[in-house]
Amino acid sequence: MRTRRRPYGAQRPMDLGGGVWSVPVPIPGNPLGYTLVYAVESPSGPVLVDAGWNHEDAWLALRDGLAAVGMDVRTVRGVVVTHHHPDHAGLAGRVREESGGWIAMHEADAALVRLIRGMDGATQRAFQAEMIRRAGGEPDAPGPTPSTGRPAPALDGADSSPTDGTGPGKEPGAAGPEPDRWERPDPPAAPDLELRDGDLVDVPGRRLRTVWTPGHTPGHICLHLEDAGRLFTGDHVLPGITPHIGLYPYDRDDVDPLGDFLASLDLVTGMPDVEALPAHEWAFPDAAARAAEIRDHHEQRLLRLHDLLAGLPAVTIWEVAEHMPWNRSWSDLGPQQRGMAAGEAAAHLRTLEARGLARRLPGAPGAPIRFTASRR
């Protein structure tokens, strides 16, 4: 299913038929290039699926792209956000200011937005330092924040995750802006509406149903346009890359984001004959088949990680990340990308632990936690 990704400059707003349009919105300074914002027609004004990065160039692209397909951003009824990351939620607040429309997202990501908006820089830095220390990492390595689940100051919006060579991912190796040129984006706007699994979104004349697909974020959602056989997949199912699935803080034992992601993929594999409209890359005809491919990819990674653990002494999360194969050598990954790699390693370790295939070992108080393999 691999197709060459077209650069942002080659993208244009498109009429996809059935009262749905796509508008490419750039992510400035990031190799991922753009977010595909979708507009769903209704008698009361269009409803947008995602909004794009909060940057003036992105705003102009969204406003002018909607105008190119005959829509005025001031008539937007609402923005339903697939997840809280800034390349999806960033412009939702500005659209609301212009149109008076609503913003909706899943209740789990709404809770994270409240956390983001209430956390100052000093608290974030202390969180990062302690998280990295507990994982056995370099003390000065920038780590993911509790708000974004991604390294700071690396890829807030590129959604990258390391890959083992089976295909490009939204990866730490696909580095974003360098630290001296990076600025942390403003926190997402607080939503007006909080969604749960199965809820119908307020789109008059259409049936747009919420499908809760946690994994990439706790409140990631896909949106099933039931009257047209289409699924807006956000970052959950993408045609040529895979989303970052990380665990933050690295040593949590009360959640299992990769396990959640795999279960969420199973939801999509049970939706045959549904066209996928993803937030990046391109639309494709069979969401279920691609979801099955991504699930198999992660199952293979879990098997390889178990074999890796079996051949090592008790190791820290950071050491596991060093040994795992990425799309660059460990020495070529910058500190932000290493932070993301550690998050992905931690998520895979947690799933093995939940399956009884790995266990964490108690250590001295304050010492980094260590893992070892359990027998299959």
Side-chain angles (χ1 to χ4, degrees):
M1 193 180 293
R2 300 262 160 76
T3 301
R4 186 174 62 183
R5 187 187 306 171
R6 297 171 64 196
Y8 171 72
Q11 298 292 328
R12 298 291 183 272
M14 292 181 61
D15 182 350
L16 303 178
V20 178
W21 290 261
S22 65
V23 177
V25 175
I27 309 172
N30 194 289
L32 191 60
Y34 56 89
T35 300
L36 289 172
V37 174
Y38 296 96
V40 181
E41 185 179 43
S42 90
S44 302
V47 169
L48 305 186
V49 177
D50 290 330
W53 187 274
N54 188 9
H55 185 279
E56 190 63 24
D57 291 347
W59 168 252
L60 293 175
L62 177 60
R63 184 197 67 184
D64 296 347
L66 289 172
V69 299
M71 297 179 183
D72 188 328
V73 71
R74 293 171 295 183
T75 68
V76 168
R77 180 176 178 83
V79 181
V80 57
V81 176
T82 60
H83 59 296
H84 72 86
H85 288 165
D87 55 327
H88 299 260
L91 280 174
R94 188 159 179 183
V95 173
R96 180 170 61 187
E97 290 173 5
E98 290 288 321
S99 69
W102 44 259
I103 300 171
M105 68 175 65
H106 190 272
E107 59 184 359
D109 269 20
L112 279 176
V113 168
R114 290 191 289 271
L115 174 65
I116 296 167
R117 298 183 68 86
M119 183 174 289
D120 60 28
T123 303
Q124 289 193 6
R125 288 189 294 273
F127 170 89
Q128 293 164 11
E130 175 62 13
M131 179 177 66
I132 291 169
R133 186 194 66 77
R134 290 280 295 152
E138 299 101 337
D140 296 330
T145 71
S147 57
T148 63
R150 294 204 213 83
L155 292 176
D156 270 27
D159 294 329
S160 300
S161 74
T163 186
D164 56 2
T166 60
K170 296 181 88 181
E171 317 292 356
E178 291 301 315
D180 60 352
R181 294 185 283 112
W182 186 89
E183 294 182 5
R184 183 174 298 282
D186 292 334
D192 305 288
L193 305 172
E194 296 188 15
L195 300 171
R196 296 183 177 181
D197 186 48
D199 285 351
L200 284 172
V201 180
D202 180 18
V203 189
R206 310 302 298 262
R207 291 186 62 82
L208 185 64
R209 190 174 299 278
T210 303
V211 182
W212 182 35
T213 51
H216 183 50
T217 70
H220 189 288
I221 57 174
C222 295
L223 295 151
H224 187 195
L225 191 59
E226 295 176 337
D227 54 276
R230 286 169 156 167
L231 187 69
F232 300 99
T233 62
D235 283 355
H236 183 57
V237 180
L238 301 167
I241 58 178
T242 58
H244 174 63
I245 310 298
L247 175 62
Y248 305 100
Y250 299 135
D251 60 348
R252 287 186 70 175
D253 62 2
D254 60 331
V255 293
D256 180 8
L258 179 57
D260 291 342
F261 179 65
L262 297 176
S264 298
L265 289 172
D266 288 342
L267 289 177
V268 178
T269 60
M271 303 173 69
D273 303 320
V274 172
E275 180 187 11
L277 300 180
H280 304 285
E281 300 192 305
W282 56 88
F284 55 101
D286 193 340
R290 177 59 179 153
E293 288 181 0
I294 296 171
R295 195 188 205 294
D296 182 66
H297 164 75
H298 281 285
E299 291 292 349
Q300 292 301 314
R301 293 194 81 195
L302 287 165
L303 289 173
R304 289 194 293 270
L305 179 56
H306 182 269
D307 290 343
L308 174 66
L309 281 178
L312 294 172
V315 286
T316 67
I317 293 169
W318 210 264
E319 290 168 337
V320 170
E322 288 183 40
H323 283 86
M324 289 176 69
W326 308 114
N327 62 355
R328 299 183 187 182
S329 68
W330 185 258
S331 62
D332 289 337
L333 291 178
Q336 302 85 14
Q337 287 73 44
R338 290 184 182 189
M340 289 186 75
E344 186 124 341
H348 282 74
L349 284 167
R350 175 69 191 114
T351 297
L352 287 179
E353 181 183 38
R355 294 179 177 184
L357 297 175
R359 58 190 179 95
R360 64 185 68 204
L361 303 177
I369 64 167
R370 294 180 177 273
F371 284 84
T372 189
S374 300
R375 291 184 178 179
R376 294 183 189 175

